[in-house]
Amino acid sequence: MTKYNEMNATQRNVYDACCNGWFMGGRYRAHLNGSQHDFFADTAHILAREVEPWYAKHQERHAGGNLVVKCVQAL
């Protein structure tokens, strides 16, 4: 795991959104300007690692959009 102060802006944005939306293990939904995707995770770090590639892929089309990650179904 990369230390927070060593993360680039994209990684930091994803990590912050995942930690802010973290409740407990379960199903999470990431939203970015109308695009959304579901993820399953047991920890906030795993969630951030899963969301990052999806966010990077959609970031170009939705530049400047806010990433929101929220718990949809807790385990």
Side-chain angles (χ1 to χ4, degrees):
M1 181 78 189
T2 306
K3 292 181 182 179
Y4 188 81
N5 61 350
E6 295 174 355
M7 291 180 180
N8 63 35
T10 299
Q11 292 170 323
R12 207 173 283 133
N13 192 17
V14 170
Y15 183 80
D16 289 342
C18 290
C19 288
N20 290 340
W22 183 254
F23 178 67
M24 63 186 312
R27 184 167 54 112
Y28 284 78
R29 185 166 291 145
H31 295 268
L32 180 63
N33 285 359
S35 293
Q36 65 181 21
H37 191 67
D38 286 357
F39 299 91
F40 293 89
D42 291 335
T43 68
H45 296 291
I46 291 172
L47 181 62
R49 189 176 65 218
E50 296 294 319
V51 171
E52 187 177 349
W54 175 83
Y55 178 71
K57 187 170 78 173
H58 287 80
Q59 186 180 20
E60 293 178 13
R61 281 188 282 156
H62 303 287
N66 291 328
L67 175 65
V68 176
V69 178
K70 64 181 183 177
C71 183
V72 177
Q73 182 181 16
L75 292 178

